[in-house]
Amino acid sequence: MSVVAVDIPENTSIEGLIKAQAYGLGFDLVGITRLGPAETAPMFEDWVSRGYAGEMTYLPRWTDKRRDTRLPFPGASCAIVVGLNYGGTAPTGPIARYARGDDYHDVMWRKLDSLHDWIGASTGMPVSGKSYVDTGPILERDLARCAGLGWFGKNTNLINPSIGSFFFIGALLVDLDLEPDAPFEAERCGTCTRCLDACPTDAFVSDHVLDATKCISYLTIEARGAIPEDLREKLGTLIYGCDICQDVCPWNQRFASDAQLAEFSPRPVLASNDSRTIALEILRMEQAEFTEAFKRSPMKRAKLSGLKRNSAVALGNGGWSDHIPDVEDPNVINASYHRR
């Protein structure tokens, strides 16, 4: 993508222009914060030490870099933090809304890299920086709150008072000295506990504390092997991820909006939004079919074996066990579903 240099008018701040460009690229939220010690690092380390991360063994790595956001990209002094709506108004279904289209990492990276290029062209000098989208040793929620994008809901999601919580977070770390925005100080959940009460697996230890090993998103995406028997029935007919704690949030019920990007539209294999149909399609898939059907999809993270396991559980919970076809891995799949 070619970038045209832009003259900055007098009395116009670079911060204002950066935000305008970010919005022009399609981001729904943008804020700026200075880098430094991460406020939530001690809580994160305590959370990991309690075993709530489960099999996500990558989370304890790079502890020093998570503690100080200046360390992941040496020389950077500020972060431009963005939010991108992925659509909270689409009907609920067996696949979490965020995963129905293309991989959000790729979509966000392209936009953040374009913003990075634009900043360099606009300032007329090389600007060192790097884009991060849920893959580096950075506590992005911490940066987003510090940049004024929202507060931590009781379900641990970042909530913005204008668009709710159905959005991705990304950050562009740069070596520019930018004027930061005020952090979001208010906590606007009040006495509401709808998200905690609605969780089918009782995954919330307390307000703002999630035991990932009981979370349906973790069980259907990150966990390997068979799903624990005492949790199988509680998964219902969900196949990949879970939106329940977001669906019941009053802020989403009032302010969630449609996704604006075509990249987040459901791919053909998921178009029915019907658990039985999708589960049977997945269980019949060979690896080559899976690779083609889920090209550029975040659902590849669970691998075909994981999605077949989840599909068998969903069919069993839905009362459709008789429709489960023969499979090649009885230890992971046939032993993993709940028969009604």
Side-chain angles (χ1 to χ4, degrees), residues 285-327:
M285 279 185 177
E286 300 293 339
Q287 185 60 48
E289 296 173 284
F290 169 73
T291 301
E292 179 60 28
F294 290 96
K295 184 185 302 181
R296 298 188 301 276
S297 168
M299 290 179 64
K300 291 188 298 183
R301 183 169 184 82
K303 305 183 185 302
L304 179 56
S305 60
L307 290 176
K308 286 190 174 185
R309 173 201 63 190
N310 301 343
S311 296
V313 172
L315 289 172
N317 285 337
W320 309 305
S321 298
D322 293 342
H323 297 274
I324 297 177
D326 292 335
V327 290

Side-chain angles (χ1 to χ4, degrees), residues 202-225:
D202 296 318
F204 294 102
V205 178
S206 61
D207 296 1
H208 308 104
V209 180
L210 172 72
D211 181 351
T213 66
K214 294 182 179 179
C215 176
I216 293 175
S217 288
Y218 170 88
L219 293 168
T220 58
I221 300 172
E222 299 291 342
R224 301 294 180 247

Side-chain angles (χ1 to χ4, degrees), residues 91-97 100 216 220 237-242 270 272-279 299 314:
T92 189
I95 310 300
R97 293 174 182 85
R100 297 174 186 177
I216 293 175
T220 58
T237 58
L238 297 177
I239 296 173
Y240 188 94
C242 178
L270 306 177
S272 70
N273 200 35
D274 175 72
S275 187
R276 179 177 176 273
T277 301
I278 294 172
M299 290 179 64

Side-chain angles (χ1 to χ4, degrees), residues 16-182:
L17 287 175
I18 288 172
K19 291 179 181 180
Q21 182 65 11
Y23 288 126
L25 288 168
F27 291 117
D28 299 275
L29 302 171
V30 57
I32 296 170
T33 187
R34 290 201 174 99
L35 301 177
E39 294 180 10
T40 59
M43 285 77 85
F44 176 79
E45 291 170 22
D46 177 66
W47 179 81
V48 171
S49 71
R50 294 187 185 190
Y52 294 150
E55 297 176 38
M56 295 183 287
T57 55
Y58 54 88
L59 289 179
R61 301 172 191 164
W62 306 108
T63 300
D64 56 336
K65 292 185 177 181
R66 281 197 171 86
R67 288 175 180 167
D68 192 327
T69 52
R70 293 169 295 191
L71 300 180
F73 188 74
S77 57
C78 287
I80 302 159
V81 191
V82 297
L84 182 62
N85 168 45
Y86 60 84
T89 54
T92 189
I95 310 300
R97 293 174 182 85
Y98 87 89
R100 297 174 186 177
D102 288 350
D103 193 326
Y104 66 94
H105 298 92
D106 298 331
V107 176
M108 295 277 282
W109 273 324
R110 286 195 296 269
K111 292 181 179 296
L112 284 170
D113 288 346
S114 177
L115 179 62
H116 184 196
D117 292 342
W118 181 90
I119 292 172
S122 300
T123 58
M125 61 180 184
V127 175
S128 182
K130 186 174 181 179
S131 302
Y132 287 88
V133 183
D134 192 29
T135 51
I138 295 175
L139 299 174
E140 278 122 331
R141 283 190 324 152
D142 194 294
L143 283 180
R145 191 199 68 78
C146 291
L149 300 194
W151 74 95
F152 302 154
K154 292 180 182 179
N155 63 357
T156 75
N157 287 313
L158 191 79
I159 304 175
N160 177 272
S162 298
I163 66 173
S165 64
F166 284 102
F167 63 91
F168 302 119
I169 300 172
L172 174 60
L173 275 54
V174 293
D175 66 349
L176 283 176
D177 185 17
L178 300 171
E179 185 66 27
D181 290 294

